[in-house]
Amino acid sequence: SDLMAGRYNLNDFNAMVACGGFSYGDVLGAGGGWAKSILFNPQLRDQFSRFFANENTLSLGVCNGCQFISTLAEIIPGAENWPRFVRNKSERFEARAAMVKINDTNSLWFKGMAGSHMPIAVSHGEGRVEFKTPENLTALQAQNLIVAQYIDSHLNVTETYPANPNGSALGITAISNVDGRIAAMMPHPERVFRAVSNSWYPEDWSEDGAWMRIFRNARVNFK
């Protein structure tokens, strides 16, 4: 709303996070509607296009923000094979803890986290990836843009419910654009960035939980 009204401009920022929690209305498909308010507004579309193209910026979308960012893929460099996020296979809203594994990609948000297996909060009704064509999924894999995947209790990537809460192919739940500056993820790292937010954590952890790393990565990128 501030950008639409001209009170702020993305040129004044070097990082943007589109948050979850039913942003842009407590309705299904809200993230898509949020994105279309930009795509169909020439001034905003141009502003976001320039921001995404600027190599000195970072962008992250979480949950509804993940839907939002993925729907803007047509104006994001290096995101031509991204999926959209649609209704869970269960046809239900899923709120639980899930385990994900972090892959070795060039995502700046997830730098230094490859090989980690981590619990995270999920809370969504529309988190299943849907690709335009099977070739888009193949290309996404070839580009190494799959940042995180749901895993089972044996640490294997899974498409099986409930370890995979939405039925996404290959357990895909976080993706990056080609240069690593822009990421979209369905689970909620901001809900478990403190150690005490976890039901169990190692005794040598103090204040920071494992997911604090992605926010520190963003800060380090602009030091």
Side-chain angles (χ1 to χ4, degrees):
S1 298
D2 284 337
L3 295 175
M4 282 181 178
R7 289 186 290 269
Y8 290 95
N9 190 293
L10 284 179
N11 291 334
D12 300 325
F13 301 91
N14 54 21
M16 177 187 71
V17 177
C19 61
F22 291 102
S23 300
Y24 209 72
D26 190 2
V27 296
L28 297 176
W34 194 6
K36 289 181 176 69
S37 70
I38 291 162
L39 293 175
F40 298 149
N41 180 315
Q43 181 266 330
L44 282 184
R45 183 186 178 105
D46 179 65
Q47 192 175 146
F48 274 82
S49 296
R50 284 187 280 106
F51 184 84
F52 290 140
N54 183 348
E55 295 181 355
N56 296 312
T57 64
L58 291 175
S59 301
L60 173 68
V62 174
C63 199
N64 268 62
C66 176
Q67 274 191 332
F68 165 75
I69 291 282
S70 65
T71 306
L72 294 177
E74 64 186 81
I75 62 172
I76 295 175
E80 63 277 359
N81 292 304
W82 276 15
R84 64 178 189 146
F85 292 80
V86 300
R87 189 75 172 156
N88 295 345
K89 200 170 184 180
S90 68
E91 294 287 331
R92 297 179 179 180
F93 181 85
E94 303 287 346
R96 65 179 78 247
M99 284 286 290
V100 299
K101 79 161 188 170
I102 311 300
N103 298 319
D104 188 7
T105 67
N106 68 343
S107 173
L108 296 176
W109 290 95
F110 292 83
K111 191 173 183 180
M113 297 172 68
S116 299
H117 304 92
M118 301 157 64
I120 193 168
V122 298
S123 184
H124 59 256
E126 298 174 323
R128 178 171 57 87
V129 296
E130 180 181 77
F131 291 88
K132 292 178 182 176
T133 69
E135 289 73 24
N136 287 123
L137 171 55
T138 301
L140 195 79
Q141 290 177 278
Q143 291 174 302
N144 194 31
L145 302 184
I146 300 172
V147 177
Q149 296 165 282
Y150 291 116
I151 56 175
D152 60 23
S153 57
H154 300 287
L155 307 185
N156 297 315
V157 170
T158 184
E159 296 180 5
T160 304
Y161 181 88
N164 179 329
N166 52 51
S168 284
L170 303 181
I172 297 170
T173 195
I175 52 180
S176 173
N177 77 322
V178 170
D179 70 9
R181 295 182 298 106
I182 303 169
M185 61 186 298
M186 189 50 60
H188 287 268
E190 81 286 356
R191 295 190 182 183
V192 285
F193 71 91
R194 296 186 65 209
V196 294
S197 299
N198 295 269
S199 58
W200 177 89
Y201 56 89
E203 291 183 0
D204 59 346
W205 284 17
S206 53
E207 171 61 22
D208 292 353
W211 287 100
M212 178 62 88
R213 180 62 180 265
I214 70 170
F215 302 106
R216 294 200 183 280
N217 279 341
R219 180 182 175 88
V220 166
N221 194 66
F222 289 110
K223 271 193 173 181

